[in-house]
Amino acid sequence: MQYIERVVDINKMLESRSLFLFGPRQTGKSSYIRNQLSEPVLSWTLLDNELYRDLSMRPSLLRNTIKAKGLDSGIVVLDEIQRLPDLLNEVHMLIEETGLHFLLTGSSARKLRRKGVNLLGGRAGRLSFHPLVWPEVRNLDEALPHILETGLLPPFFTADEPEPMLSDYIGLYIKEEIEAEREVRNLPPFWEFLRTVATSSGEIMNYENISRDIGISGVSVRQWYSILSDTLIGFEVPPFRKTKIRKPNASSKFYLFDIGVARKLQGLARIEEGTAEFGRYFENYIAMEIRSWLDYSGFDGIGLSYWHAKSGQEVDFIINEEIAVEVKAASRVSARDLKGLKALMEEGLMRKYVLVCRESYPQLLDNGILILPYTDFLDQLWNGSLMR
């Protein structure tokens, strides 16, 4: 499989402290470790059933092995750490007693929190690992159509035939991630819930409607959304509530972490240009890029919100409470596309107002709204000039 070099540099992070690296399966954590991580002095994966069994019975095996090898500095990799939370007690002691830095990877922190693990009491940083991002794929011809077809998980993005692989991935996720959480006792309704989430990705969350449509309790809907967030398969975008002229909505929006997975869950063969789905998936893609940039830049996703007035006006994204971003899939922007940004401008709260679209040229309007082709927007987002 072709390896695409990633923009995130965890080597620099590991120079000063240990690190939890969480990301959904197939985002490329293992490939990154093989190709871009400085040579670890020890690397164990808890997917190795024999090793997992031995460590389950004797967690001290980790410490004793490190002592036997005389390791006192360097990087130790423990893959799929959520499978054995008790091992973190040994890691904690080794961080205190040695100069080793640990890279602890996994697909979910949910089980660690449920077991009462303190995630090393602040002795390790945390980073979310995302699907491929714009600087890693921007040189591809016809990048957007390809992204809408395959999504941005590396194995599928580079595959000649991604469709069967996407189907297998979804089945594997259901089996290994959700069953491992042991909080979903009836998988068929959860499968229908996933399809509903995919269909409504980017919309305001409505627990009552989903509960009624699927025939499950509102408590289960909330719990299942929580599982999706904790396993990093989806993420909430909370409302921006500081407007005064127009009263804001108080409910969050929810996006799936990858548009290829979302498309497959929804049962769409392709995303046709000009359809409502095209616009929705285009917005979901921009959401993925902003969230990834925030995480990789150290904001941990906390700087992303959206604005929706109860009177109907909406702006898709607010970045760090200073950049308002509206997303339209149109190749020609109309006055109607600017209504949300104009309404928010009346509040005088933002530093920039940006409309992201598929126009060919950037434009600065007399009212201060900046119209950016999505390629220009993503370039400015990732090179930092958008925030200046």
Side-chain angles (χ1 to χ4, degrees):
M1 183 183 74
Q2 175 191 358
Y3 179 72
I4 297 175
E5 187 166 349
R6 312 304 292 269
V7 296
V8 65
D9 184 5
I10 61 175
N11 288 298
K12 186 175 182 180
M13 300 177 191
L14 286 166
E15 288 176 359
S16 58
R17 65 192 306 198
S18 296
L19 180 70
F20 285 100
L21 184 68
F22 292 119
R25 292 176 184 245
Q26 300 295 340
T27 45
K29 300 186 296 296
S30 297
S31 296
Y32 180 94
I33 290 168
R34 285 195 305 271
N35 288 276
Q36 289 183 238
L37 184 69
S38 299
E39 186 69 26
V41 295
L42 182 68
S43 183
W44 283 357
T45 175
L46 297 180
L47 292 177
D48 181 326
N49 288 327
E50 183 177 353
L51 177 63
Y52 172 76
R53 183 187 66 242
D54 292 341
L55 286 169
S56 297
M57 294 186 293
R58 292 182 298 152
S60 61
L61 179 63
L62 173 64
R63 182 156 38 98
N64 292 339
T65 300
I66 284 173
K67 288 167 61 177
K69 289 177 174 289
L71 304 178
D72 192 58
S73 63
I75 298 169
V76 174
V77 176
L78 297 176
D79 187 29
E80 299 296 335
I81 188 63
Q82 81 280 354
R83 294 197 71 198
L84 197 54
D86 290 342
L87 196 60
L88 288 176
N89 294 326
E90 298 293 325
V91 172
H92 194 153
M93 284 189 287
L94 285 163
I95 289 175
E96 294 289 332
E97 297 170 359
T98 72
L100 292 167
H101 291 165
F102 286 79
L103 177 61
L104 306 159
T105 77
S107 55
S108 171
R110 186 181 183 88
K111 186 179 292 186
L112 301 181
R113 289 200 301 270
R114 194 168 64 239
K115 291 276 288 186
V117 175
N118 66 4
L119 299 186
L120 304 182
R123 289 168 179 79
R126 173 173 173 166
L127 180 70
S128 294
F129 202 74
H130 294 277
L132 297 167
V133 294
W134 177 247
E136 298 161 352
V137 303
R138 70 178 311 279
N139 293 326
L140 177 75
D141 290 337
E142 300 294 325
L144 183 61
H146 188 81
I147 291 167
L148 291 171
E149 178 185 358
T150 66
L152 283 157
L153 290 172
F156 316 139
F157 184 82
T158 58
D160 293 330
E161 297 184 8
E163 289 300 298
M165 298 173 66
L166 277 166
S167 296
D168 291 344
Y169 177 82
I170 291 168
L172 185 67
Y173 161 66
I174 293 290
K175 184 177 187 300
E176 296 192 0
E177 293 292 342
I178 300 306
E179 287 185 350
E181 294 298 328
R182 301 187 186 280
E183 294 185 31
V184 179
R185 294 179 175 84
N186 193 351
L187 284 178
F190 187 82
W191 180 258
E192 187 60 33
F193 166 75
L194 271 179
R195 291 185 183 276
T196 301
V197 171
T199 302
S200 60
S201 186
E203 296 179 6
I204 295 173
M205 298 165 69
N206 190 315
Y207 302 112
E208 292 75 18
N209 284 355
I210 294 178
S211 173
R212 183 177 59 252
D213 292 344
I214 300 178
I216 58 174
S217 70
V219 172
S220 292
V221 172
R222 290 177 183 272
Q223 180 189 39
W224 291 355
Y225 266 120
S226 176
I227 290 174
L228 293 186
S229 295
D230 286 345
T231 56
L232 307 176
I233 297 299
F235 58 97
E236 285 190 38
V237 176
F240 179 79
R241 301 181 180 180
K242 296 185 178 181
T243 51
K244 303 296 184 183
I245 299 174
R246 292 177 174 84
K247 190 173 182 180
N249 194 303
S251 298
S252 297
K253 296 198 295 185
F254 194 88
Y255 292 88
L256 287 180
F257 83 113
D258 179 72
I259 54 179
V261 172
R263 177 183 63 78
K264 198 65 179 177
L265 280 169
Q266 193 177 348
L268 297 176
R270 59 185 59 84
I271 309 300
E272 299 287 355
E273 186 174 350
T275 64
E277 284 82 6
F278 187 91
R280 191 165 58 82
Y281 277 78
F282 183 66
E283 178 186 323
N284 199 146
Y285 168 56
I286 298 299
M288 290 163 51
E289 291 285 346
I290 296 173
R291 182 171 180 263
S292 298
W293 175 80
L294 284 166
D295 281 348
Y296 289 171
S297 301
F299 295 101
D300 197 27
I302 59 174
L304 183 60
S305 59
Y306 84 104
W307 178 68
H308 182 96
K310 291 194 172 181
S311 52
Q313 298 88 350
E314 181 173 344
V315 173
D316 292 320
F317 306 111
I318 308 292
I319 304 176
N320 289 343
E321 299 191 350
E322 58 178 330
I323 311 292
V325 179
E326 177 69 5
V327 179
K328 297 295 182 183
S331 54
R332 288 288 298 273
V333 171
S334 68
R336 182 179 179 181
D337 297 327
L338 304 173
K339 285 185 177 180
L341 289 171
K342 287 180 177 178
L344 185 58
M345 290 181 82
E346 295 176 9
E347 303 280 347
L349 298 172
M350 301 293 137
R351 186 164 58 81
K352 283 185 181 180
Y353 299 85
V354 181
L355 185 106
V356 179
C357 58
R358 295 189 301 132
E359 287 257 16
S360 299
Y361 304 100
Q363 305 164 58
L364 180 61
L365 303 184
D366 291 340
N367 60 8
I369 293 176
L370 179 62
I371 296 176
L372 288 178
Y374 78 95
T375 53
D376 290 47
F377 171 79
L378 294 175
D379 284 341
Q380 291 187 27
L381 176 73
W382 283 98
N383 68 26
S385 62
L386 183 72
M387 304 305 295
R388 292 199 287 269

